[in-house]
Amino acid sequence: MFRRIGNAVVRHPVWTIVAWLIAAVAIVATAPSLPSNSDESSFLPKSYESIKAAELQEKAFPSAFTPSAIALYQRTDGGKLTAADKQDIARITSQLGSKHIDQVQKVVPGQPSKDGRYDLTLVQMDSKNAGQPKQIDAAKALRDDVKKLATGTNLDVKLGGSAAQALDQQDSSKRGQALIGIGTFAIILITLLIIFRAPILAILPLVLIGLVSAVANGLIAYATKLFDLQANSSISSILIVVLFGVGTDYFLFLMFRYRERLRAGDEPKQAMINAVDRVGEAIASAAGAVIIAFLALVLSTLGFLKQMGPALAIAVAATLVAGLTLIPAVVSLIGPKVFWPSKSWQREPENARFAALGRGVQRRPALTAAVSGLVLVALSLGTLGFNATFDLAAGSMPKTKESMVVQDEMQKAYSAGAAAPTDVFLSSTDGKQLDKSGLDAYAHKLGAVDGVANARLTQLNKGGTTADFTVTLRYEASTDKAIDAVGEVRDVAHSDAPEGTEALVGGMSSIYKDIATAVNHDYRTVFPVAALLIMVILGLLLRSVVAPWYLMASVGLGFGATLGATVWIFQEGQGHSGLMFMLPVIMYLFVVAIGTDYNILMIARLREEAREGREPREAAGMALRHAGPTVAAAGFILAATFATMMLAGNALLTEMGFAVSFGIAVAAFVMAMFFTPSLTALIGHAAWWPGHGDQAREAAVGAGSPDAGSVPGRNRDTVAPDPSGRRG
């Protein structure tokens, strides 16, 4: 199949390129805009209690005041607010309401702090547009207007709340994307220049993958709209890295093999056909593993991960198609001039360093497996200290952003849970009015829960069938203590609800509690499904039942080592209270899928060496000698591109950038280079049972073989082996 693809593309390169350009223009021109949503509640299914509570609140209290934005006032000198200051605050609140800003439904004064140093203006917006562009624009207008109205006073005013957080998150995301894009481009360009010393070859993948990126983003937007998926601004930053990192990997695999065939004496166009023929299966298998791992996210209960899975799968699929069509077409048009001005592509380097490493694995496979395995196990011990945090807004932007400053200052000035109180809704199950005589006692029981600052009956609906109790926690909504406290509030609310009533607990802490439950569900579902599907791909590629088991075990160790190192650095080293809640799922999929990618490349080369008649240990040593440079180059570029996510300046992308780049480095430089080949050498021929894929094929080179060499009993790629080792 891959030979037919190579033939069609290389024989008709212009038509292939034109087809890509037409598709890109059509998709980009007609694709819908990709929405963004930072509202955590939108990530949960309607079956969770916090979402049921929100729906009940909207139905029972349609005019209930829920602030989307909060203006926080304090004196510029930090002193207590004077009578004149309070008059200014009242004036600003009144004038802000009279501006009738789009999306703003109500502007009311808030409560001053107990120490007299802070006061608030509360702004209610249309809840249906939470996190959407209209509301983000409204937050920008509010922030500008409230600062203008405070000009000439002794007041310092800042805008916070969910709408302001969405605005700051958008600004932070744009800055982060720019830095990630620049960093990714620079790393790929410089690394390729060092490897090939050819400017055309260094620039080419950036241009081609840029085209693929436009197509992929358009397809993702279509899928998001078609399947009504949730989007988040962080996805765009991840997409940049996935497209350019993985795309450059596939470009490298193809170019190393193309260079090998040129060195073997193939005519340029035939060299590209042979390259696609031999490397196509490995690229397709590696991409298939990544795509299946990402698609496993559709089993997630969180909307954010449900969106991320298909989006990343579409991106990798588009990159795979480009790697087998667009890149071969363009390179076949340019020919060997793509390596200009370097002459090094014409001769075979000695590869002494990787040859020495290969000899080490060949002589002492047990020691190599033990040492590399112990390193992975030692790092994995850090997972025992893992703790999750759930404030996605705070994790998606620096603490210096205005909305984050407001959040921190409100926690100090007011009760830590005042900015996001918990609501308990008590409803009659038979449609009759609630017995008001027992409501105060019910509120008292809620207020007695450990971790609750106060609880009070706030309002009854018009029919008297639903009561709203506002419960203020002692802790900030996203902390572990708040989540534990809201769990106890739920227990009391349910168990002490009067006969004939039902209680639902809502609010941000309740949402975070449900997210924690959903993530634990995803751990039990997504992880094993992704692992099983990747094992199936490995089994089909290697025609073996044994190899997929220890390959996945090694990748699992790599995941544990990555999570452990991330915990030690961010929780223990930098004092973070925890890691972002979705990080282990994302890390698992990236490290497992891409870690398998490098294992596929190494094990495929090892199989080829075995088929040439070498014993398992010798085959492992030769595989490392020849495949090591490719794995090292590809692993370095991909790890470095993911590391650019740390430039974004927010906790989520910093943690994700470090974790995934570290995991890829472990996959490339520990697992693929040492752990996997040494284990395969120790297991020997049994690793290929029942397919016996390592048996020498004496008649492998036939009359019809397109790149047959002159060495009897050798496979067709034994002519001038390439240090990249890309044998497919």
Side-chain angles (χ1 to χ4, degrees):
M1 181 181 73
F2 296 105
R3 183 161 199 83
R4 289 196 296 271
I5 293 173
N7 258 313
V9 168
V10 173
R11 301 306 179 196
H12 306 286
V14 175
W15 285 112
T16 302
I17 296 167
V18 168
W20 264 95
L21 291 174
I22 292 173
V25 171
I27 292 171
V28 172
T30 59
S33 60
L34 186 64
S36 179
N37 198 335
S38 59
D39 180 13
E40 282 91 338
S41 65
S42 66
F43 300 154
L44 286 168
K46 293 183 179 180
S47 58
Y48 282 85
E49 182 171 347
S50 59
I51 307 304
K52 290 180 179 178
E55 291 176 344
L56 175 61
Q57 180 182 29
E58 189 173 339
K59 181 179 178 181
F61 306 101
S63 59
F65 188 89
T66 304
S68 299
I70 301 171
L72 178 68
Y73 305 91
Q74 66 180 125
R75 283 184 59 85
T76 53
D77 60 9
K80 289 187 176 182
L81 296 171
T82 64
D85 295 331
K86 294 177 182 178
Q87 288 180 356
D88 286 331
I89 292 171
R91 172 185 59 79
I92 292 170
T93 302
S94 175
Q95 291 180 351
L96 202 60
S98 65
K99 286 183 175 291
H100 303 294
I101 298 171
D102 181 43
Q103 298 294 307
V104 173
Q105 297 175 329
K106 193 182 296 184
V107 181
V108 301
Q111 293 292 324
S113 62
K114 291 182 179 180
D115 62 8
R117 297 177 185 274
Y118 295 88
D119 207 343
L120 305 171
T121 293
L122 307 177
V123 182
Q124 179 176 284
M125 296 186 186
D126 187 352
S127 61
K128 295 179 181 178
N129 292 323
Q132 298 303 312
K134 287 183 179 179
Q135 200 159 106
I136 292 173
D137 292 340
K140 189 176 188 307
L142 273 170
R143 181 172 283 171
D144 293 340
D145 287 344
V146 76
K147 290 182 184 297
K148 287 177 183 176
L149 292 172
T151 302
T153 69
N154 294 317
L155 297 171
D156 176 46
V157 58
K158 300 182 183 70
L159 191 75
S162 60
Q165 287 177 355
L167 171 63
D168 290 341
Q169 189 179 38
Q170 183 185 72
D171 292 341
S172 178
S173 176
K174 288 179 180 177
R175 176 182 176 275
Q177 285 181 40
L179 289 172
I180 289 170
I182 293 170
T184 299
F185 273 54
I187 286 168
I188 292 173
L189 186 65
I190 293 170
T191 307
L192 290 179
L193 279 172
I194 293 172
I195 293 173
F196 292 105
R197 295 185 289 280
I200 297 175
L201 204 57
I203 296 171
L204 194 59
L206 298 176
V207 175
L208 298 182
I209 299 168
L211 177 64
V212 177
S213 175
V215 172
N217 276 289
L219 293 174
I220 290 165
Y222 273 121
T224 300
K225 184 176 182 179
L226 181 63
F227 297 106
D228 193 28
L229 300 172
Q230 297 292 341
N232 184 274
S233 55
S234 297
I235 290 177
S236 298
S237 301
I238 299 169
L239 276 174
I240 293 172
V241 176
V242 169
L243 281 162
F244 283 91
V246 174
T248 303
D249 265 9
Y250 298 163
F251 180 83
L252 275 175
F253 303 157
L254 187 67
M255 292 311 301
F256 274 130
R257 181 53 63 97
Y258 177 59
R259 185 177 65 178
E260 175 185 349
R261 298 316 311 154
L262 288 173
R263 285 171 174 169
D266 288 356
E267 181 270 330
K269 288 189 179 296
Q270 190 63 47
M272 181 54 71
I273 294 172
N274 291 339
V276 174
D277 177 31
R278 297 312 308 276
V279 83
E281 184 182 17
I283 290 179
S285 299
V290 178
I291 290 168
I292 281 181
F294 289 156
L295 285 179
L297 283 176
V298 300
L299 300 175
S300 170
T301 50
L302 295 173
F304 172 75
L305 294 178
K306 276 182 178 290
Q307 155 68 9
M308 179 178 287
L312 296 178
I314 289 170
V316 175
T319 306
L320 168 62
V321 175
L324 297 178
T325 59
L326 180 62
I327 293 174
V330 173
V331 175
S332 66
L333 274 180
I334 299 172
K337 291 180 181 177
V338 75
F339 297 105
W340 179 88
S342 174
K343 302 291 186 181
S344 61
W345 66 272
Q346 298 174 352
R347 59 184 181 274
E348 190 71 33
E350 292 297 326
N351 243 359
R353 188 171 302 171
F354 286 94
L357 292 175
R359 288 193 297 272
V361 170
Q362 179 178 339
R363 291 169 184 167
R364 299 180 180 85
L367 178 62
T368 303
V371 171
S372 54
L374 284 173
V375 169
L376 297 176
V377 170
L379 289 173
S380 297
L381 295 176
T383 59
L384 299 175
F386 171 73
N387 187 46
T389 57
F390 298 90
D391 191 350
L392 188 60
S396 300
M397 69 186 97
K399 290 288 187 182
T400 54
K401 284 290 185 180
E402 187 170 325
S403 59
M404 291 295 96
V405 174
V406 170
Q407 179 174 292
D408 291 342
E409 290 184 351
M410 284 191 66
Q411 289 177 32
K412 298 173 185 176
Y414 298 83
S415 172
T422 295
D423 288 290
V424 177
F425 299 100
L426 186 69
S427 301
S428 63
T429 55
D430 55 9
K432 296 180 180 179
Q433 287 190 350
L434 294 170
D435 181 5
K436 297 180 181 178
S437 63
L439 297 183
D440 287 339
Y442 186 68
H444 179 74
K445 290 178 181 177
L446 294 174
V449 173
D450 187 32
V452 173
N454 61 75
R456 58 190 175 87
L457 174 63
T458 307
Q459 57 186 330
L460 284 168
N461 69 338
K462 289 183 180 180
T465 57
T466 300
D468 179 8
F469 297 86
T470 299
V471 178
T472 304
L473 303 178
R474 298 183 185 278
Y475 318 109
E476 194 275 320
S478 65
T479 61
D480 292 338
K481 290 183 177 180
I483 293 171
D484 291 341
V486 86
E488 294 185 28
V489 169
R490 281 185 177 182
D491 292 340
V492 172
H494 297 161
S495 62
D496 290 342
E499 187 177 351
T501 65
E502 179 186 39
L504 292 173
V505 180
M508 289 309 302
S509 293
S510 184
I511 289 172
Y512 294 140
K513 177 77 173 175
D514 286 340
I515 287 177
T517 302
V519 169
N520 288 332
H521 165 271
D522 291 350
Y523 291 163
R524 297 189 300 270
T525 306
V526 177
F527 283 19
V529 168
L532 180 62
L533 293 175
I534 291 173
M535 284 182 67
V536 170
I537 286 184
L538 288 172
L540 293 174
L541 171 68
L542 303 174
R543 283 77 170 175
S544 167
V545 173
V546 177
W549 285 97
Y550 69 82
L551 290 177
M552 285 306 299
S554 71
V555 174
L557 274 176
F559 165 76
T562 302
L563 181 57
T566 307
V567 167
W568 274 332
I569 287 177
F570 289 96
Q571 287 186 210
E572 306 298 332
Q574 297 188 12
H576 291 194
S577 60
L579 305 177
M580 290 304 296
F581 66 91
M582 80 282 282
L583 187 63
V585 177
I586 295 171
M587 185 192 307
Y588 175 83
L589 294 169
F590 276 106
V591 173
V592 167
I594 297 175
T596 303
D597 185 343
Y598 294 127
N599 271 342
I600 285 173
L601 300 176
M602 183 62 73
I603 205 76
R605 178 55 190 257
L606 194 153
R607 180 180 61 181
E608 290 189 11
E609 295 294 341
R611 283 177 173 175
E612 292 177 8
R614 295 185 173 92
E615 287 302 308
R617 293 193 179 196
E618 184 187 2
M622 293 301 293
L624 178 54
R625 174 184 178 182
H626 294 305
T630 301
V631 171
F636 173 79
I637 288 179
L638 196 58
T641 52
F642 271 104
T644 61
M645 293 170 67
M646 299 173 69
L647 300 173
N650 66 65
L652 173 62
L653 292 180
T654 298
E655 292 172 3
M656 194 182 300
F658 170 80
V660 177
S661 62
F662 184 86
I664 290 169
V666 167
F669 296 99
V670 179
M671 290 189 303
M673 283 198 188
F674 298 106
F675 196 62
T676 297
S678 59
L679 272 182
T680 306
L682 286 172
I683 296 172
H685 297 291
W688 308 99
W689 184 88
H692 304 295
D694 64 330
Q695 288 185 350
R697 298 193 296 185
E698 297 297 328
V701 182
S705 182
D707 49 340
S710 59
V711 184
R714 297 278 172 157
N715 111 342
R716 59 188 177 185
D717 279 341
T718 56
V719 180
D722 178 57
S724 70
R726 290 307 312 126
R727 299 281 187 149

